[in-house]
Amino acid sequence: MIDVTETQKTTTDTTATAAAPSARGLLPLPLATARALLLAGGIATSASAYMAWTWTDEFPGDLTVNGYPGGLQWLTFVAGILTALFTLSSYGVRGLGWLLPAKNNAPVVLAALGGFATTWFAVIAITVELGGVVNLEPGGWIAAVASLIPVLGALALPEPLGDDLKDNLKKYVAKPDRFPAPKAIAPWVERAIITIVTIIGLAVFTYGIDTEYGELFVGYLILVTFSLWALHTAGMLDTFSRIVAHNRSFTLAMGFAAAIAFPFTQTDDHYANIGVNILIFGTVALGLNIVVGLAGLLDLGYVAFLGVGAYTAALVSGSEFSRFSGVQFPFWASALTGAAASLVFGVLIGAPTLRLRGDYLAIVTLGFGEIFRIAVNNMDGDSGPDITNGPNGIPSIPDLSFFGFNLGESHDIAGFTLGRFANYYLLMVLIMAIVVLVYTRAADSRIGRSWIAIREDETAATAMGINGFRVKLIAFALGAALAGLAGTVSAHVTYSVVPTPYQFAGSTPPNSAFLLAAVVLGGMGTVAGPLLGAALLYLLPEKLNFLQDKSLLAFGIALVLLMRFRPEGIIANRRQQLEFHETGQLDVPEQATLTDEPAVTKAGA
Amino acid sequence: MRFGGLTAVRSVDFTVNSGEIVGLIGPNGAGKTTFFNCLTGLYVPTEGTVSYKGTVLPPKPHLVTKAGIARTFQNIRLFANMTVLENVLVGRHTRTKEGLWSALLRGPGFKKAEKASEERAMELLEFVGLAHKRDHLARNLPYGEQRKLEIARALASDPGLLLLDEPTAGMNPQETRATEELVFAIRDQGIAVLLIEHDMRFVFNLSDRVAVLVQGEKLVEGTAEVVQADERVVAAYLGEPFEGAPGEEEAAEVAEAEAAKAETGPAKTSVTKTEDEAPADAPAEEESTTSTKGEAQ
Ligand SMILES: Nc1ncnc2c1ncn2[C@@H]1O[C@H](COP(=O)(O)OP(=O)(O)OP(=O)(O)O)[C@@H](O)[C@H]1O
Ligand SMILES: [Mg+2]
């Protein structure tokens, strides 16, 4: 008996170090050869980006030039460099040790796969779009082969393999359970790291927004996904979130600095337009996150509050088509009015519905959301009171102006030209800052804790003295007010308000399904999650023309994949980051609602 | 309390005085948990009222807690994805009042209140011995510690009466003994404790008074000796006259053994109205009287 347990121990030990004789590669090559393949392949991949891949510039991005990478070739170039860097680090090259703290294979493997996927995507896209492999120049063939080499090398890396191929493949991309304890970093170094990461992040994000054609955007997404995955398995993301946790306010400040810097990097106001839309939808999604992520109330009609804010702002904007065309509030007043109107609607809708739980609430909010749109559609003077102009909406909403600074015009600031959308973008950054502040402060307080408690177990929460209805109503009303606030800006950005966008699901963004998907995809209960989710979901159909009328299908697929592989969303919240306390205990009782079921669980039996 | 045709708890009059530990026992399905749910407002009793310190409580859980009655659950209901500390902080809810505005403005008053809450919460975690786990997620605690955390969370509302629903269920003997100490320590703080248990040794050790609930009706109430001597209790656990009331083995053994020893005690005949048999000199200023009455089917 004792012998058996001891052998088991030794086997687990060997799995941990991955250097024991039992470890072998999926391809039978010596370790030295595998690494050489990785390094050489990585460099060759990068080099191949300098060649001409095709003969015609019909394929977007002009990949016909020898001696300079263009378009998709840049992505291949970056992926090759990344593979080479990770490989060098695995050789133990000085100064690169930090790339692979756990000395695991997964980051190298994923970098190699990333290079392979981006390059082959490009090559296949060329072949398909131009109609045949004849359109590939030798450079294209070389790139395809060069990017395959590191993958072969990667699969020859030693891992403690078993018999099951699927398990074996999983081992190659698995994140190790344990990392060597990270060294303490001086505070200024931490800040320097945050600054650098912010700059890189801004650069990567800007590159994504500025991609001019769908192929490049897809390649970009492939590369970013594999790179982040590689960094994740290398433990880099964990290290970074730990650093962020030490410097919360600094990170927040850097984040906003980056957000403000964005329009200054843009020469085309079209991209600032994308930026401002992302901010509007991100901000609204963050408001929804209070309701869904913190309080756990599934609100399927949330977009109505954005609509209330937008309509209110339009009515008091001084537009000649407004019912109150003589009235023109200054922006601060119309923003407050919009938020207040939304808040009132939030309370009116919340008061009767929040006594319901779970699915019932979802259905009722869905209904109210639709009622808003239909009501607005009918308040045209014919079928209802004349307030909203019905389906025509309220057009020609004048631009905002602050102290003579007209947001509708281009301005030159310090050598940079800020167009109309860039101006609104900066205004939205301010609004987003307010919403982020409200969110973080509310979440980390007595009221925020009671929201989370309600979400976790409403029965227990009420038994702890929380007035469930009241607390839920506050969450609902606050979320509504924040959406209304964002709505006031969106009315001015889009020149006009019409009823159609404020629906449950549609192919263009502000609809409840979009907002909800942004929250879930990004990560419920986090600040960055909904912003990232909104950015992704907005950019995908924007960049990929073929998706535009199928964006709902794409959402669906994205969400299904997400629920399967990363149910906590792209950005896991603080609670899930406490995973390292995980004991893997399975016998935690299930949380049944007391009022719905008789207490049949006999804990003592 | 009735669920459709089933009368789960009927005409149970019950008084708990301050500084007292009262045990509530009964076979599975006797209605003990239902009784607790009626007390704490989770169920609205079909008939009857709950009064605490002389005032009748509305059947709203949060108002009951605010009035000073806190509880734990038979099947642990922690806030699984909150940390240990946060769980206890939620328990402080009724004793703090910072609303949304003060959270957004973060004035000095807010910070002071947050700090005070945290200190009190840490004190309680210290008290139940979980201080070192403050940042762990509740769902990752071992079973026994989850039960302790539930007690700490309940204590955070500074209750005058604590209702414990099977606090030792699933615990090993050592943990049970530790829980015993804990309950005594709680009592010593002047908090009245009403606890449901199936572990007879535990109940009889701990309780000043024990009440037996069988099929929703109070059978006997009195000191350990009185209850152990009652033949109907034995019968209820062994399942002679009441068919389908599964007796817990250990309980039956204990009750049987005790019954064999003792002479037949002065059994109470009235079931519907039971005066409390505890020393009547207990200070009556803090007491919780409850009576949930239902009609016979
Ligand atoms: N919500 C409900 N709906 C319908 N019946 C219920 C409900 N809650 C409890 N009951 C029934 O009431 C009876 C008493 O249940 P209760 O949970 O109070 O028993 P208990 O004394 O706590 O038992 P145990 O010792 O097993 O915990 C049972 O028959 C149960 O099925
Ligand atoms: Mg019970």
Side-chain angles (χ1 to χ4, degrees):
Chain A
M1 279 305 274
I2 294 164
D3 278 348
V4 173
T5 40
E6 272 184 359
T7 16
Q8 273 171 354
K9 248 192 200 137
T10 29
T11 18
T12 39
D13 280 349
T14 50
T15 46
T17 48
S22 72
R24 60 191 168 86
L26 210 55
L27 302 178
L29 296 175
L31 177 60
T33 319
R35 283 191 173 154
L37 282 179
L38 274 164
L39 186 59
I43 293 171
T45 309
S46 289
S48 75
Y50 281 81
M51 299 176 189
W53 286 6
T54 180
W55 60 276
T56 166
D57 57 7
E58 259 174 59
F59 189 80
D62 193 8
L63 310 181
T64 61
V65 193
N66 269 312
Y68 191 73
L72 280 162
Q73 291 174 331
W74 269 113
L75 303 175
T76 295
F77 177 76
V78 172
I81 297 278
L82 208 61
T83 313
L85 279 179
F86 274 124
T87 315
L88 285 175
S89 174
S90 74
Y91 270 119
V93 172
R94 265 168 171 277
L96 289 178
W98 57 275
L99 274 171
L100 286 176
K103 299 257 167 288
N104 53 334
N105 290 332
V108 192
V109 175
L110 287 166
L113 283 176
F116 171 74
T118 355
T119 311
W120 279 63
F121 166 74
V123 169
I124 291 171
I126 293 171
T127 314
V128 172
E129 282 179 39
L130 299 182
V133 283
V134 287
N135 296 296
L136 289 176
E137 288 282 301
W141 291 104
I142 292 174
V145 175
S147 65
L148 186 60
I149 295 173
V151 177
L152 298 179
L155 291 180
L157 289 173
E159 286 280 345
L161 298 179
D163 294 329
D164 185 20
L165 183 66
K166 201 171 146 206
D167 278 355
N168 287 343
L169 289 178
K170 262 191 197 152
K171 278 184 188 138
Y172 275 102
V173 294
K175 185 183 170 194
D177 302 331
R178 225 167 293 150
F179 285 94
K183 278 182 239 129
I185 312 175
W188 71 268
V189 182
E190 290 193 339
R191 295 187 169 207
I193 293 176
I194 292 174
T195 313
I196 293 169
V197 171
T198 313
I199 292 171
I200 296 177
L202 178 65
V204 170
F205 197 72
T206 313
Y207 185 90
I209 290 192
D210 290 0
T211 50
E212 279 162 7
Y213 43 97
E215 293 85 349
L216 188 57
F217 188 70
V218 172
Y220 163 84
L221 279 188
I222 294 176
L223 181 61
V224 167
T225 310
F226 274 102
S227 306
L228 284 179
W229 194 1
L231 292 177
H232 169 71
T233 53
M236 221 72 92
L237 298 190
D238 289 349
T239 313
F240 184 66
S241 51
R242 212 169 303 127
I243 293 176
V244 166
H246 295 167
N247 302 276
R248 276 202 183 280
S249 30
F250 182 75
T251 315
L252 212 59
M254 286 310 293
F256 276 109
I260 291 171
F262 170 75
F264 294 95
T265 64
Q266 301 300 314
T267 44
D268 187 343
D269 213 28
H270 171 63
Y271 295 122
N273 184 14
I274 296 183
V276 72
N277 279 326
I278 290 179
L279 277 193
I280 290 175
F281 303 137
T283 307
V284 182
L286 193 56
L288 178 61
N289 200 16
I290 293 182
V291 182
V292 177
L294 292 182
L297 307 168
L298 185 51
D299 184 351
L300 297 182
Y302 190 70
V303 80
F305 301 122
L306 180 73
V308 172
Y311 264 95
T312 312
L315 284 173
V316 299
S317 67
S319 157
E320 52 185 310
F321 297 96
S322 152
R323 181 80 174 72
F324 316 103
S325 54
V327 187
Q328 182 164 14
F329 280 17
F331 176 67
W332 65 266
S334 74
L336 285 183
T337 322
S342 269
L343 185 123
V344 170
F345 269 80
V347 173
L348 286 182
I349 294 176
T353 55
L354 287 175
R355 299 189 189 274
L356 301 172
R357 286 194 189 190
D359 305 348
Y360 302 106
L361 178 69
I363 302 286
V364 173
T365 50
L366 174 65
F368 272 109
E370 289 297 287
I371 287 173
F372 168 78
R373 182 171 57 86
I374 295 164
V376 164
N377 227 333
N378 286 315
M379 289 200 268
D380 55 358
D382 289 336
S383 26
D386 179 14
I387 300 176
T388 61
N389 271 347
N392 297 328
I394 301 170
S396 40
I397 297 169
D399 276 307
L400 294 172
S401 114
F402 293 108
F403 310 110
F405 185 96
N406 189 335
L407 293 191
E409 292 162 9
S410 292
H411 296 271
D412 287 317
I413 295 172
F416 294 97
T417 308
L418 291 183
R420 177 176 185 272
F421 289 115
N423 295 330
Y424 279 108
Y425 175 93
L426 291 176
L427 176 64
M428 249 344 272
V429 171
L430 182 72
I431 302 274
M432 187 181 78
I434 294 173
V435 175
V436 168
L437 196 74
V438 167
Y439 180 91
T440 49
R441 292 199 157 180
D444 178 28
S445 72
R446 173 175 175 266
I447 189 90
R449 283 191 297 270
S450 43
W451 287 334
I452 300 171
I454 293 265
R455 180 193 72 195
E456 290 291 311
D457 186 332
E458 187 162 351
T459 307
T462 52
M464 289 305 118
I466 294 170
N467 182 343
F469 174 67
R470 192 187 134 88
V471 165
K472 285 195 282 184
L473 191 60
I474 293 175
F476 207 73
L478 179 64
L482 295 180
L485 185 64
T488 57
V489 181
S490 92
H492 288 277
V493 173
T494 53
Y495 300 105
S496 65
V497 289
V498 283
T500 36
Y502 306 107
Q503 55 192 350
F504 170 65
S507 51
T508 43
N511 55 65
S512 298
F514 171 89
L515 295 171
L516 209 59
V519 172
V520 175
L521 178 76
M524 281 201 273
T526 61
V527 175
L531 302 180
L532 182 68
L536 263 181
L537 290 182
Y538 183 79
L539 281 177
L540 274 175
E542 173 76 28
K543 294 291 177 191
L544 306 177
N545 292 327
F546 69 92
L547 267 186
Q548 243 150 26
D549 48 348
K550 302 187 197 68
S551 62
L552 280 177
L553 177 70
F555 285 1
I557 294 173
L559 286 179
V560 168
L561 290 179
L562 187 80
M563 287 303 124
R564 169 65 185 79
F565 294 107
R566 199 173 160 81
E568 69 270 38
I570 297 173
I571 296 176
N573 83 26
R574 184 172 57 90
R575 294 165 207 295
Q576 274 134 354
Q577 277 171 14
L578 291 170
E579 260 174 1
F580 50 87
H581 293 300
E582 202 73 72
T583 57
Q585 188 192 1
L586 294 170
D587 58 353
V588 180
E590 266 199 286
Q591 312 228 333
T593 9
L594 237 180
T595 41
D596 297 339
E597 276 174 63
V600 281
T601 322
K602 307 284 190 250
Chain B
M1 183 75 221
R2 265 171 301 169
F3 301 110
L6 175 84
T7 307
V9 177
R10 177 192 309 147
S11 302
V12 179
D13 274 17
F14 208 81
T15 308
V16 181
N17 301 314
S18 73
E20 208 180 18
I21 301 176
V22 179
L24 184 61
I25 60 174
N28 290 133
K32 306 181 295 296
T33 301
T34 307
F35 179 62
F36 266 26
N37 289 343
C38 288
L39 285 188
T40 51
L42 284 178
Y43 293 165
V44 183
T46 328
E47 266 174 61
T49 57
V50 179
S51 58
Y52 178 70
K53 289 189 189 178
T55 47
V56 175
L57 295 179
K60 286 265 184 332
H62 64 274
L63 295 179
V64 171
T65 311
K66 194 162 185 184
I69 301 180
R71 69 169 292 175
T72 65
F73 292 89
Q74 175 172 0
N75 39 355
I76 302 178
R77 305 185 77 123
L78 287 168
F79 306 121
N81 289 314
M82 295 176 93
T83 64
V84 167
L85 179 66
E86 284 171 329
N87 265 279
V88 183
L89 284 175
V90 171
R92 293 292 301 158
H93 191 88
T94 47
R95 302 299 165 227
T96 45
K97 51 179 179 300
E98 280 61 46
L100 183 61
W101 281 120
S102 65
L104 295 185
L105 299 176
R106 303 253 143 159
F110 175 83
K111 292 195 179 118
K112 226 171 94 190
E114 281 288 281
K115 200 156 160 271
S117 289
E118 194 177 319
E119 271 166 20
R120 174 76 182 127
M122 283 313 293
E123 230 175 83
L124 287 167
L125 286 179
E126 210 94 36
F127 177 66
V128 298
L130 283 178
H132 61 291
K133 296 229 166 152
R134 54 173 276 168
D135 290 327
H136 288 221
L137 289 188
R139 75 178 141 105
N140 293 339
L141 294 186
Y143 202 75
E145 291 184 348
Q146 292 198 355
R147 290 228 173 260
K148 281 190 195 163
L149 177 56
E150 258 210 325
I151 294 178
R153 185 180 68 173
L155 285 175
S157 63
D158 296 337
L161 172 65
L162 182 63
L163 309 179
L164 301 176
D165 198 343
E166 304 196 12
T168 68
M171 283 187 174
N172 64 32
Q174 271 161 324
E175 286 173 323
T176 306
R177 218 163 305 132
T179 309
E180 217 170 283
E181 298 300 314
L182 190 64
V183 174
F184 277 130
I186 291 169
R187 195 264 319 266
D188 291 344
Q189 295 180 357
I191 299 170
V193 179
L194 173 59
L195 56 91
I196 296 177
E197 252 312 326
H198 282 303
D199 183 336
M200 294 301 151
R201 212 158 299 153
F202 178 79
V203 168
F204 288 123
N205 265 348
L206 216 54
S207 313
D208 301 316
R209 232 162 4 111
V210 175
V212 185
L213 211 60
V214 176
Q215 294 206 334
E217 296 182 39
K218 191 165 72 174
L219 202 61
V220 198
E221 182 181 345
T223 55
E225 293 79 40
V226 174
V227 171
Q228 284 167 359
D230 194 297
E231 62 195 359
R232 282 168 311 147
V233 177
V234 183
Y237 269 98
L238 285 175
E240 252 170 31
F242 297 97
E243 272 177 8
E248 198 188 317
E249 262 183 56
E250 191 196 3
E253 272 170 32
V254 173
E256 194 179 20
E258 300 291 342
K261 256 190 274 166
E263 303 284 273
T264 318
K268 297 227 55 165
T269 41
S270 145
V271 180
T272 41
K273 283 272 174 195
T274 317
E275 308 297 303
D276 66 291
E277 301 207 341
D281 53 15
E285 52 154 302
E286 190 177 340
E287 68 164 22
S288 143
T289 316
T290 174
S291 61
T292 43
K293 292 177 189 154
E295 279 156 27
Q297 289 129 293

